[in-house]
Amino acid sequence: MTIMAGGFGLCGIPEALIYAIRDSGVKDLTVISNNAGVDGIGLGVLLETKQIRKMISSYVGENKLFAQQYLSGELELEFNPQGTLAERIRAGGAGIPAFFTKTGVGTIIAEGKDVREFDGESYVMERGLFADLSIVHAFKGDTEGNLVYRKTARNFNPIMATASRFTVAEVEHLVEAGKIDGDQVHTPGIFVKRIVHVPNPVKHIEQRTTRPRLVAASEVN
């Protein structure tokens, strides 16, 4: 089974749905996601249970377990430039089987792929991606499946919601149909088959960067 999992780093990840997949015990998954979470969080929990057979990703540098499984041959990996991955997903959702891009020409990314010349420039052909299941996280959704994403969580979620046979959305705030202004909808309900209400989800911080607090002169003894 091929699953698209929304999110970027730990922002906008469908964590409750990832746990549901873990609890189902399903194995040999191909997962399409920008990254694999971190150790013990996000898709990292499916790596711990070895339910993922292959990852189609852009960046996986924050997950030590991912590196161990890949280097030991337990996990297959298909790397993509980040923009190419996003466009492959968008193309899949739009019914476009393939497209040409300059990104990756002359590198190992282009090995074994169709390379053609357009207007004197070389382009490599990339296939669109389409999954059996998409799992996404939205800030707000209505009972008809219309979704609104909040700020940076509007990353891979909108395009993944369109690029599968069956999309399940976890939403923080569930409202009645008609309560969301049509101009605010990011994903129309036509793409969403199931909704799971997940109020007050944990918002993990992937990298915490701090600096010493500046002390005012009036605070100095």
Side-chain angles (χ1 to χ4, degrees), residues 23-203:
D23 295 344
S24 77
V26 64
K27 299 282 187 180
D28 296 321
L29 295 173
T30 295
V31 177
I32 302 167
S33 182
N34 179 69
N35 56 281
V38 300
D39 294 289
I41 303 176
L43 291 174
V45 303
L46 299 183
L47 292 175
E48 290 179 344
T49 53
K50 298 187 178 180
Q51 291 171 258
I52 300 177
R53 176 182 57 83
K54 179 180 179 179
M55 286 290 303
I56 300 176
S57 298
S58 174
Y59 174 68
V60 293
E62 300 299 329
N63 196 309
K64 295 183 178 64
L65 182 58
F66 185 104
Q68 293 170 5
Q69 291 184 2
Y70 171 64
L71 293 173
S72 67
E74 297 178 83
L75 183 67
E76 296 179 48
L77 172 61
E78 182 180 329
F79 258 140
N80 294 255
Q82 197 167 80
T84 298
L85 178 65
E87 183 62 11
R88 291 183 71 190
I89 296 167
R90 191 202 68 81
I96 299 171
F99 61 92
F100 285 89
T101 176
K102 293 177 70 174
T103 305
V105 172
T107 73
I108 59 174
I109 293 296
E111 290 181 2
K113 298 177 182 177
D114 187 5
V115 178
R116 299 188 191 181
E117 187 174 297
F118 297 90
D119 301 321
E121 299 283 349
S122 294
Y123 293 78
V124 60
M125 188 180 80
E126 296 284 357
R127 295 294 307 272
L129 290 170
F130 197 80
D132 301 300
L133 170 68
S134 289
I135 54 174
V136 299
H137 178 97
F139 176 69
K140 183 187 294 184
D142 67 20
T143 52
E144 292 297 320
N146 298 299
L147 305 179
V148 178
Y149 308 100
R150 185 174 184 268
K151 298 184 178 181
T152 313
R154 187 181 174 185
N155 40 53
F156 281 86
N157 284 299
I159 54 174
M160 286 186 171
T162 70
S164 72
R165 294 178 178 84
F166 201 95
T167 295
V168 182
E170 64 174 58
V171 301
E172 297 180 37
H173 302 279
L174 182 61
V175 299
E176 293 300 318
K179 294 297 184 180
I180 300 176
D181 187 324
D183 286 336
Q184 295 180 338
V185 172
H186 298 140
T187 294
I190 190 69
F191 293 107
V192 179
K193 299 296 190 293
R194 297 287 187 275
I195 302 170
V196 179
H197 187 201
V198 184
N200 304 313
V202 176
K203 304 294 180 71

